[in-house]
Amino acid sequence: MTNTPSDHAPAPDNPSWFERNVSLIIVGLVVACVLSLLAEVIWHSTFFDEKHPAHFKLENTYFYSAGFGFCAFVAVVFLGKLLRPIIKRPEDYYDQ
Amino acid sequence: MISSLQNLPPGILMVVGSLFLPLLGKRFAAWGALALSITSLLFFATTSFGIYGSLELFGTTLDLVRIDKLSYVFGLIFHLAAILSSIYALHVKDGLQHLSGIMYAGAAIGASCAGDLVTLFVFWELTAIASVFLIWATNTERSYRAGIRYLIIQVTSGVLLLSGAIMRYAETGSLSFGGMGEYGVIGIESTSGVLILLAFGIKCAFPLLHNWLQDSYPKATPTGTVFLSAFTTKLAVYSLARGFAGTEELITIGCVMTLFPIFFAVIENDLRKVLAYSLNNQLGFMVVGIGIGTELALNGTVAHAFCHIIYKALLFMSMGAVLHRVGTTKATELGGLHKSMPLTTIFCCIGAGSIAGFPLLSGFISKSMIITAAAEEHMLAVWIVLLIASAGVMEHSGIKIPFFAFFSHDSGKRVKEAPWNMLVAMALAAAMCIGLGVGYEWLYALLPFESHYVPYTMAHVITVMQLLLFAALAFVVLMKSGLYPPEERALNLDTDWVYRKLLPNLLGRLASLVKFVDQAIRKAFLHLLARFENRLQSAFSDSGMIGRTWTTSAMAVWASLLLGLCLLLYYL
């Protein structure tokens, strides 16, 4: 059913566009992040009154969503890291 | 002709037709499966809303078919999922897999249009029995055992549903599962309601009842998992919406469901298992929507189920393609596949973007309805949980799946691109993800309630982009600083440990204890018996009490004593 890979050795071929431009992609991401913050500042200052009705005070705080995204991501990863030693077992644990 | 066909449950064509698929031979069974799915969809699309196929049975009326807006959306998406899965499985030569997949899909469609609890139960059990063959088709000892566990749990769900239905009939004299446009028809006020909720909860993978999903789905065949990801759990979501909309307890259950799987997904090595945890997390959003129960929340739940079926199928398809070509989906053994599977990489990224909820993709226009519904009801805690869960989705499905499979460190594996039929299925699913993200009005028109929700406001786009971009930035920071946990070849325990390790161990110990007590009793009894035998032996020996030779005078004394005793008793 499965096709075995023809070559298990490390890639002899040229690095791909992605591999050559990892730094560029990271810079692009940082720029996109900054732009999303700028967009909020402009939006708030220009159309603040027309902003969709906020249900919670938190929604009117600048950059709450950015902070949330970053902090929640880090928290999820670290909690996962804490969980690992508790539940980690060998791969054949249930076959023993 | 058409009117008499309306009285038969939608999907019955697929259920019955699937039985003939193996007769078509290895070459044409797959095409037969696709033809059946498309024909069934054409029949379904021409059926108008209404209640059909009423039967008098057990002194009550059974409505085999009830098609209203809710049933229609689920029937439609189940048909689309069956068609996508059939295209994806066109290369499979095993007739039994096609039979199983199409019968399973047909049963799910029949269940989503069932007007009474007995019809629902019949299709409910049929989905369980038909689908287990997709797990067994892997043909390994592990998949066989996982299939048995899956079947036991699914059939238990059906038994609970039937018990609840019978109790409900005794209480109310009706087996109806809601009329046209009726939601929240059961509720948890009665014991029967609780039993039915438990039945739905097992299939919906509620917390602690969830682990059959992560146990079995990653062990099915590459094509089988695509079928499995679409039907069982979303049938449960449909049933919950029909039976328990507005049940507040579901909000808490849903919140827990959105949160706990994301921690397991972070450290899971098998990417198909990561997707199974991700599925669980997405179901949480839908359960929260059902619990809130407002028109916006229910619309959000249905829209999210619709979009979710497609992007989740797409993600499972991309991992299935990797499994088909490389032979594994373990993150530790993958990486760099974008070089040899570029199209699969692109399709996977579209699926990942959809589930994460990027603007212009399907998740954006559905998940936000549920989050907004929570905000409109001023549920701050629920709203925060859903935002955290959204960042979690970005972690495990938005980044981890595509990154570790297709990018990351180059594993050096050079394989062929996925077969053409897999690519076609993935391309169609990816096109649907984009189509739904852009042309969301088409989906909103299908929803149970009139929708006034506008997803593309500047504020919404900015907040979602900030959340997702900064989550991605956090990933880069953690990777660069070496704080992101490396993938490890390991198995992570979950609740299946209880019935795969703890209970067998406890039973083993109980068996040893029973054996010990049993042996002790037998030993003591044999010891007593041996002593008794010794006594008897000595009594009957030549010098023993009974065995020795008595004198005639002693016998005469005893005889006269006994006779005297008899005489005395006679006079008394």
Side-chain angles (χ1 to χ4, degrees), chain B residues 43-60:
Chain B
F43 271 116
F44 183 70
T46 53
T47 312
S48 42
F49 289 178
I51 292 176
Y52 307 104
S54 297
L55 284 179
E56 287 293 327
L57 209 64
F58 316 127
T60 183

Side-chain angles (χ1 to χ4, degrees), chain B residues 168-440:
Chain B
R168 193 170 163 75
Y169 178 63
E171 286 163 11
T172 65
S174 165
L175 284 165
S176 167
F177 190 40
M180 298 290 289
E182 288 181 355
Y183 310 103
V185 292
I186 294 182
I188 53 168
E189 292 77 26
S190 58
T191 318
S192 61
V194 174
L195 279 179
I196 295 173
L197 179 68
L198 202 56
F200 294 172
I202 290 175
K203 257 199 173 32
C204 196
F206 278 6
L208 302 180
L209 306 174
H210 66 283
N211 208 210
W212 60 267
L213 200 162
Q214 292 84 0
D215 180 24
S216 59
Y217 282 16
K219 297 191 182 80
T221 60
T223 53
T225 313
V226 178
F227 270 102
L228 287 165
S229 76
F231 302 109
T232 300
T233 49
K234 260 62 72 186
L235 173 59
V237 166
Y238 158 80
S239 307
L240 279 173
R242 176 74 70 192
F244 299 95
T247 303
E248 281 183 8
E249 287 77 2
L250 290 178
I251 301 175
T252 315
I253 293 173
C255 282
V256 176
M257 275 170 89
T258 58
L259 281 185
F260 86 87
I262 55 184
F263 305 115
F264 285 83
V266 172
I267 51 173
E268 179 55 53
N269 188 30
D270 182 349
L271 295 182
R272 287 208 301 169
K273 204 165 180 178
V274 172
L275 285 179
Y277 277 114
S278 161
L279 208 170
N280 219 170
N281 147 283
Q282 293 293 300
L283 292 169
F285 280 91
M286 297 173 215
V287 173
V288 168
I290 295 167
I292 295 173
T294 58
E295 290 192 1
L296 178 61
L298 287 177
N299 268 354
T301 297
V302 176
H304 201 47
F306 197 99
C307 296
H308 161 89
I309 286 178
I310 295 169
Y311 60 63
K312 185 55 75 179
L314 175 55
L315 287 167
F316 269 118
M317 283 182 200
S318 64
M319 286 305 109
V322 169
L323 179 63
H324 180 73
R325 286 303 193 209
V326 184
T328 180
T329 49
K330 287 185 179 155
T332 42
E333 292 166 46
L334 297 175
L337 284 176
H338 71 281
K339 291 180 177 178
S340 43
M341 300 179 86
L343 292 173
T344 307
T345 307
I346 293 170
F347 297 139
C348 179
C349 287
I350 293 174
S354 299
I355 193 171
F358 274 98
L360 302 179
L361 295 170
S362 57
F364 178 81
I365 60 110
S366 58
K367 193 188 337 181
S368 53
M369 291 172 93
I370 300 172
I371 298 176
T372 307
E376 281 192 354
E377 296 303 303
H378 303 287
M379 299 171 172
L380 181 62
V382 177
W383 184 75
I384 289 177
V385 165
L386 296 185
L387 283 188
I388 295 173
S390 301
V393 176
M394 181 63 182
E395 198 285 322
H396 58 69
S397 294
I399 296 176
K400 179 169 176 168
I401 293 286
F403 183 77
F404 284 104
F406 299 105
F407 302 101
S408 190
H409 64 280
D410 192 347
S411 62
K413 290 186 165 69
R414 295 291 176 265
V415 293
K416 277 200 266 179
E417 179 57 279
W420 70 268
N421 61 302
M422 286 188 171
L423 291 175
V424 169
M426 285 190 274
L428 283 172
M432 284 180 181
C433 287
I434 299 169
L436 286 167
V438 179
Y440 60 90

